[in-house]
Amino acid sequence: MFYGTSLTSRCLLGTAGYPSPAILSAAIEASGTEVITVSLRREGAGGQAFRKLLSQHSRHILPNTAGCHSVKEAVTTAYMARELFNTRWIKLEVIGHADSLQPDPFALVEAAKILCADGFQVFPYTTEDRIVGEKLLAAGCQVLMPWGAPIGSGQGLNNLRGLQALRAAFPEIPMIIDAGIGAPSHAAQAMEMGFDGILLNTAVAKARNPVAMAQAFGQAITAGHTAYQAGLMAPRDMAEPSTPLLGLADLM
């Protein structure tokens, strides 16, 4: 549940970089997603035709401030998104490093304070830093979106211990892994750790068959969450026979 909205799918899907509008539409359906993200820059390029395509799917729209590098730029973009898409949801990105696209934690918290105070429901793209997470929650965010790895890198979960620590620190806060997921196995791994959702874009859009990849990710996310709920066995240092020794016939 995100800001009081219950969803049945834990897959959130980006809309940039697909080979065609038809493939994007098919990928949305194949993934089973109920939330699709769109940046104002992408929307501006497609205009009304792009908005019409999105409206055909009756999904929740999560606009984002992709490409913003300052508090002023991100806040202004958020206001434009609210007007355009008629939603209080905003995925807040404030980029601090041009090469890694790592979030600027100081600007991110400042922008989150401004937007939360004005009624936005902020989904902050952040690092796995616990202190930053605490400050974002104090600012009014009710969701955290830590990165798995740099945007579009496909590296998976680069800092397992850091992500595990963040998840353990705020067990009641919905958390979505955002950025760096490259394979369905990465998504399943994150869900097995107890995260609440995965936001995807590049791994689906740039696949040889985006529709099949979207379906694979949807299945992996479901499988990983089911495994987490079922309770994964703890790793052991020693082997443990699956067949009990007591009661076996002595054939010697």
Side-chain angles (χ1 to χ4, degrees):
M1 180 178 290
F2 306 126
Y3 291 104
T5 299
S6 295
L7 303 169
T8 58
S9 171
R10 295 173 182 273
C11 176
L12 294 77
L13 193 65
T15 56
Y18 287 81
S20 71
I23 291 175
L24 168 59
S25 290
I28 291 171
E29 296 298 331
S31 71
T33 185
E34 294 173 76
V35 178
I36 48 182
T37 68
V38 59
S39 73
L40 266 290
R41 292 191 304 173
R42 174 64 181 86
E43 149 60 29
Q48 301 224 343
F50 186 62
R51 289 202 302 276
K52 182 178 179 181
L53 183 152
L54 297 182
S55 68
Q56 292 172 352
H57 292 280
S58 300
R59 301 308 203 269
H60 296 279
I61 301 295
L62 177 59
N64 69 51
T65 62
C68 293
H69 291 259
S70 70
V71 172
K72 182 178 180 180
E73 188 179 10
V75 169
T76 300
T77 302
Y79 279 111
M80 292 171 60
R82 186 166 66 178
E83 290 289 326
L84 188 61
F85 294 105
N86 191 31
T87 179
R88 292 194 294 158
W89 281 13
I90 190 73
K91 179 192 167 189
L92 180 61
E93 295 184 27
V94 188
I95 301 303
H97 189 264
D99 291 334
S100 67
L101 301 181
Q102 178 174 328
D104 179 336
F106 308 101
L108 179 65
V109 171
E110 184 180 347
K113 287 180 181 178
I114 295 169
L115 294 175
C116 289
D118 199 27
F120 281 87
Q121 296 175 333
V122 177
F123 294 69
Y125 165 62
T126 182
T127 62
E128 67 278 17
D129 188 289
R130 176 176 175 173
I131 304 304
V132 177
E134 289 176 346
K135 292 185 179 297
L136 288 169
L137 296 175
C141 299
Q142 298 179 24
V143 177
L144 295 176
M145 301 183 72
W147 66 346
I151 292 172
S153 68
Q155 295 174 12
L157 306 180
N158 272 355
N159 184 358
L160 286 176
R161 290 187 181 276
L163 289 169
Q164 289 168 340
L166 185 70
R167 175 70 281 180
F170 309 108
E172 304 302 321
I173 300 299
M175 291 191 193
I176 303 163
I177 294 293
D178 176 20
I181 297 295
S185 57
H186 298 156
Q189 182 183 27
M191 298 305 293
E192 289 170 0
M193 292 166 58
F195 286 91
D196 299 285
I198 306 291
L199 198 158
L200 305 158
N201 194 158
T202 306
V204 174
K206 301 302 183 182
R208 185 170 63 252
N209 185 336
V211 178
M213 188 62 76
Q215 182 179 29
F217 268 108
Q219 293 168 342
I221 291 167
T222 297
H225 177 66
T226 302
Y228 173 73
Q229 288 187 312
L232 296 165
M233 68 174 289
R236 293 173 52 88
D237 292 329
M238 300 292 291
E240 180 180 356
S242 56
T243 303
L245 298 178
L246 292 176
L248 292 180
D250 185 355
L251 302 179
M252 294 299 293

